[in-house]
Structure formats: C-alpha cells, structure tokens
Amino acid sequence: MAANFPSLTPSGRVYTPGFFASSALGTLSGNETNVRHSSVSYGHQLRLTFLSVTRAQQQSLVSHYAFHGSFEPFDLATETLVATNLTFPTGYKWRYSGSPEIEEVDGQINMNVDLELLPPYTI
C-alpha cells in the first residue's frame, strides 16, 4: 500500500509535461506523418522546492524517501498541489527520480525533490 507524500506545502514547483510515444514516418511524396503508439503519456517531471522547513518536516521527507526510494510509487498529498491548476492523468502515481537535496545554512533547512509520474501498470 502506497502512503501519500508528506503533507508539506512547497515554496516552489516546476512542472514539465510528459509526452506520448510516437514515430515519424516519411511518405514517398516527401511528407511526414506521425503514429501514436499508445494512449499513455510518460515523462512528466515535477521539482518541488521547500524553503525554511523544520527538522520534523525534513525527517518526514527523508523517511518517506527511505521507504519508497525510486521503487514504490505514491500519491501526492493535497497540500503539495494547493493553489495550483496542475492536473494529472487518472491512475498515475509518483516516484522519486533522485535523492532529495537538502541544504542547511545557519540552521535554515532548504530541500529540493525531483519526482516523475508513472502510468498505471499491473504486475
């Protein structure tokens, strides 16, 4: 069972939309046509920035990453997308695409997390 991402409100979000798998095919007339291979999009990326977080918030994120890593997908908490118009395909789940980046300067903790959206799949 996948636990949701920690209930943290990011200071910033950078979203890169995904795309559909397709191939470009040339024709004898010199034109080009594209064929979509699936109705599933992939390659969605989300970078979350958290500024001035508490030690407890840092630990909740590190614990979540330690449990899920890049293997176990999860849903985002409601607080993560508050005040945005971002919507994502139904049934997709997130996973970490790298380790969280944590910087502590003069007692102020800042973190960055990179996530990728995975299409639904069954094993």
Side-chain angles (χ1 to χ4, degrees):
M1 173 186 265
N4 282 355
F5 189 78
S7 297
L8 302 172
T9 303
S11 304
R13 301 168 195 87
V14 177
Y15 173 63
T16 306
F19 46 91
F20 293 93
S22 64
S23 295
L25 303 172
T27 64
L28 292 175
S29 66
N31 293 329
E32 183 177 280
T33 187
N34 287 295
V35 177
R36 185 188 291 187
H37 300 289
S38 173
S39 62
V40 175
S41 62
Y42 65 98
H44 302 268
Q45 300 288 322
L46 183 62
R47 181 170 181 87
L48 303 173
T49 301
F50 302 94
L51 300 176
S52 299
V53 298
T54 65
R55 186 83 54 205
Q57 291 171 325
Q58 175 196 9
Q59 276 305 111
S60 70
L61 181 66
V62 170
S63 296
H64 190 264
Y65 173 75
F67 181 74
H68 293 279
S70 61
F71 178 72
E72 182 71 30
F74 52 87
D75 288 319
L76 292 179
T78 306
E79 292 82 2
T80 307
L81 298 175
V82 70
T84 68
N85 291 328
L86 294 176
T87 58
F88 306 104
T90 305
Y92 283 49
K93 299 241 183 228
W94 293 94
R95 78 171 174 189
Y96 292 94
S97 56
S99 302
E101 299 169 6
I102 301 170
E103 176 185 10
E104 184 172 352
V105 178
D106 296 329
Q108 179 177 326
I109 303 170
N110 300 325
M111 303 184 302
N112 291 312
V113 177
D114 293 319
L115 305 174
E116 64 181 322
L117 193 60
L118 301 174
Y121 63 92
T122 56
I123 297 176

